[in-house]
Amino acid sequence: MSKQQSMLPVVVIWLAGVGAAGQFAKISVTFDHVGNAYPEAGARLGFALSILGLAGIFLGVVAGVLATKIGMRRTLIGGLGLSAAVSFVQALGLSFDAFLLSRVIEGLAHLAIVVAAPTLIAKVSPPEKRAFSLTLWGTFFGVAFALFAWVGRPLVEVFGLNAMYFAHGVWMAASVLGVATIGLPDERAFEVTDALLTLGGVLKQHWVVYRSPFMNAAAVGWLFYTFCFVSLLTLLPPFIAPEWRTFTVGAMPLMSMISSMTLGVWLLRFWRTVHVIQTGFLISAGAALALILVPGSPFACLVLAGALGLIQGASFALVPELNDTAADRANANGVFAQAGNFGNTIGTPILLAVVAVSGYGGLMLVSAILLLIGAALHLVLERARARA
């Protein structure tokens, strides 16, 4: 069996993606420890998590174009290498301002990884397993949060934050070696004209991608998913009973992964991908509303996480389903990353403000409304594609 027919490259890229998601998880899951390490940060502490998404917000589509020109394999290796270097520097112990600067650089690495990795998975996965492979890729955030909750926090509590940063750097360095040695395609067939890299070309490309109900479909829903996912994993724990808190916080991302890989994969055999995503939005909105009636219920939290897992895996599968060429997929993954980083960046500060104004009930009500909007927009885009 050739390497392109094997699932080994998919698994190696997925493991690299888990490390990329760790760039968010290592701050979100240990947020209290980060606050203790930087007591002078004050209200700026939230930027330690959200500033990672700046590069993706402004450069998501540009990254899709550049990755197509540079080559997906080289883009992925470059992003992994930069991420490893940044984590090793963070392990040295930095002032808060220097730490924020390192997070901005880390955001560039994250963007390169999340644009190149799913595009490569769609190319190297056996055709009959492509939906499964992209669903597996979609679990990388959930797996990372579970690992950092169950392994990262104990590591920090015994050895400190710097040990966790060093361990993350080792993971990313190992990912560089793995990706470099599995024989991924060089992608030299991808050509991008220099005109696309001018300011006018970049703006035109944004317009082309934004107005396409095929290239922007996954990204639109992903914006509302990411707005809620990281924010709720960060803000829900204080409202869960202490005796259930550690278990629930660790089990939520794991439940998301299990749901995506079992129920999600099964539903994709019978339903259209967009309908699986819509179902995930509707169930997760219902779970958020239920959490108003049963505050901090571990069961309701796990239902919420499971429903979010349906959105997670199917959203990545939607990109190659709606976009035939590698260039269109790269553009779709670029705006996908842009939307995800925007959601991750603004989600926690906005929902934190909601908690300050209206408490726990406001947090869950606003989350439910946003999830319902995500379902509605997928319906609008589905009808636009039908007209096209």
Side-chain angles (χ1 to χ4, degrees):
M1 181 177 288
S2 71
K3 290 179 180 177
Q4 283 195 335
Q5 293 173 321
S6 168
M7 285 294 290
L8 176 62
V10 173
V11 173
V12 172
I13 296 170
W14 174 74
L15 289 171
V18 171
Q23 295 167 321
F24 281 96
K26 69 183 181 182
I27 303 300
S28 176
V29 173
T30 63
F31 197 65
D32 52 339
H33 291 282
V34 177
N36 293 335
Y38 297 110
E40 75 279 9
R44 296 190 300 156
L45 186 64
F47 288 111
L49 176 62
S50 62
I51 204 168
L52 185 73
L54 280 181
I57 292 172
F58 294 107
L59 299 174
V61 174
V62 176
V65 175
L66 284 173
T68 302
K69 185 176 180 67
I70 296 170
M72 296 298 161
R73 177 178 178 274
R74 282 173 284 180
T75 300
L76 179 57
I77 290 174
L80 293 170
L82 181 58
S83 176
V86 170
S87 285
F88 286 137
V89 170
Q90 290 170 345
L92 299 175
L94 302 173
S95 68
F96 187 67
D97 288 337
F99 183 74
L100 287 183
L101 177 60
S102 76
R103 292 289 284 169
V104 173
I105 298 171
E106 200 168 19
L108 294 171
H110 182 84
L111 179 60
I113 296 167
V114 299
V115 168
T119 306
L120 280 168
I121 285 177
K123 185 174 182 65
V124 303
S125 172
E128 70 278 6
K129 295 183 179 178
R130 182 174 294 159
F132 172 85
S133 299
L134 287 162
T135 300
L136 173 66
W137 168 255
T139 66
F140 74 121
F141 252 84
V143 172
F145 273 81
L147 281 175
F148 277 85
W150 289 346
V151 180
R153 278 192 69 87
L155 181 67
V156 170
E157 287 162 4
V158 176
F159 298 105
L161 282 168
N162 291 345
M164 180 187 64
Y165 298 145
F166 182 81
H168 183 251
V170 171
W171 183 290
M172 301 312 285
S175 297
V176 172
L177 293 176
V179 169
T181 57
I182 56 174
L184 293 176
D186 198 26
E187 304 291 357
R188 292 184 184 274
F190 290 176
E191 297 294 338
V192 175
T193 63
D194 291 338
L196 277 178
L197 299 177
T198 65
L199 177 60
V202 167
L203 293 176
K204 180 180 179 180
Q205 189 68 7
H206 275 75
W207 174 246
V208 169
V209 175
Y210 286 164
R211 68 191 298 266
S212 167
F214 296 89
M215 282 189 278
N216 73 17
V220 170
W222 198 243
L223 170 64
F224 292 91
Y225 164 82
T226 52
F227 190 107
C228 296
F229 182 78
V230 174
S231 305
L232 291 175
L233 284 179
T234 304
L235 300 177
L236 261 180
F239 301 103
I240 301 171
E243 64 270 22
W244 286 101
R245 187 173 300 155
T246 299
F247 167 79
T248 305
V249 172
M252 284 180 69
L254 188 61
M255 183 66 180
S256 178
M257 179 194 73
I258 293 172
S259 167
S260 179
M261 293 303 299
T262 55
L263 181 59
V265 170
W266 183 76
L267 287 175
L268 285 171
R269 294 171 57 191
F270 305 102
W271 291 5
R272 295 179 61 187
T273 304
V274 70
H275 295 161
V276 176
I277 297 171
Q278 289 169 323
T279 300
F281 272 119
L282 293 175
I283 297 175
S284 57
L289 293 174
L291 277 164
I292 299 176
L293 302 176
V294 284
S297 162
F299 177 76
C301 286
L302 293 181
V303 172
L304 172 63
L308 289 172
L310 297 181
I311 304 169
Q312 200 177 72
S315 292
F316 284 98
L318 189 63
V319 171
E321 179 179 297
L322 298 181
N323 300 278
D324 294 329
T325 69
D328 283 351
R329 290 174 184 173
N331 284 325
N333 283 323
V335 73
F336 194 97
Q338 191 172 47
N341 279 284
F342 188 56
N344 284 328
T345 299
I346 67 173
T348 301
I350 290 178
L351 289 183
L352 191 59
V354 170
V355 172
V357 172
S358 55
Y360 169 82
L363 168 68
M364 301 318 302
L365 179 60
V366 170
S367 297
I369 292 171
L370 290 169
L371 292 165
L372 289 172
I373 292 173
L377 288 177
H378 263 297
L379 179 61
V380 171
L381 290 170
E382 186 180 19
R383 291 178 176 176
R385 290 192 296 274
R387 290 194 298 271

